[in-house]
Amino acid sequence: MQKLPENKTRKNLRIAQCVLYLIQIVLCTFTYVRIPNPDNPGEYLYRTVPDMLAYMGASFDVGQDAMHAYVPFYLIFFIIPIVGFFFCALDKQRNLKNIVSLFCCMLGVLSILMIVTINFLDIGSTLALLLYLLISFLTTIAIMARLTKDDNT
């Protein structure tokens, strides 16, 4: 990819992407999944991503065995924003950060919808979905800002 010096607009967009990826990592500590309580019907158990990762070796209660199969995949909710953050933070002159950022956003949305599923979404996963859409919008703006000519150079 062709290297271009970073101007003020592209720098601000890159920093905004980095900050939003850091917020994505913080959102993993919010309640991410809402699981029906097998002991009390009508009640829910609220779990964060670290809580779900703590269940990796443990057995779930009866009725939650289907959720147990997806517990190792909860690590992806940490990995995707970390990869996106490091690409946006370290790649200042190429367009590779924008391509990887769009891929991370697409993978993040798909992983939330496929692993957590729509009926178990809670506040953390809902905000993460909205933030992934915002990051992809900013990334598209960053791609367009790279294609336009800079008046200062």
Side-chain angles (χ1 to χ4, degrees):
M1 301 216 158
Q2 183 183 10
K3 292 184 178 183
L4 289 175
E6 189 175 54
N7 65 5
K8 187 177 179 181
T9 304
R10 289 195 301 263
K11 181 179 181 180
N12 289 340
L13 288 170
R14 183 177 59 83
I15 290 172
Q17 288 172 332
C18 290
V19 168
L20 289 176
Y21 276 121
L22 288 176
I23 293 172
Q24 282 284 16
I25 295 169
V26 170
L27 282 178
C28 289
T29 61
F30 287 25
T31 53
Y32 225 72
V33 62
R34 185 183 67 198
I35 306 169
N37 191 353
D39 297 332
N40 296 330
E43 287 186 10
Y44 293 98
L45 303 172
Y46 299 96
R47 299 285 185 244
T48 64
V49 173
D51 288 342
M52 293 301 286
L53 290 175
Y55 285 118
M56 200 174 302
S59 63
F60 273 60
D61 295 333
V62 177
Q64 296 178 352
D65 291 333
M67 205 56 132
H68 189 271
Y70 292 106
V71 167
F73 295 116
Y74 275 77
L75 191 61
I76 204 164
F77 296 127
F78 281 122
I79 293 173
I80 291 171
I82 289 172
V83 168
F85 171 76
F86 279 114
F87 265 97
C88 287
L90 300 176
D91 186 18
K92 295 181 181 179
Q93 296 179 348
R94 296 182 297 168
N95 205 21
L96 186 63
K97 68 177 167 290
N98 296 323
I99 295 168
V100 170
S101 181
L102 281 177
F103 184 70
C104 285
C105 290
M106 179 188 63
L107 193 62
V109 168
L110 285 176
S111 63
I112 289 172
L113 293 178
M114 299 293 259
I115 295 171
V116 176
T117 66
I118 202 90
N119 51 344
F120 295 133
L121 290 178
D122 203 34
I123 189 72
S125 53
T126 305
L127 289 175
L129 281 172
L130 293 174
L131 233 56
Y132 276 128
L133 293 175
L134 179 63
I135 294 170
S136 64
F137 180 69
L138 282 177
T139 303
T140 306
I141 292 173
I143 290 172
M144 293 300 148
R146 183 176 163 82
L147 294 176
T148 60
K149 290 289 183 188
D150 189 17
D151 294 335
N152 298 331
T153 57

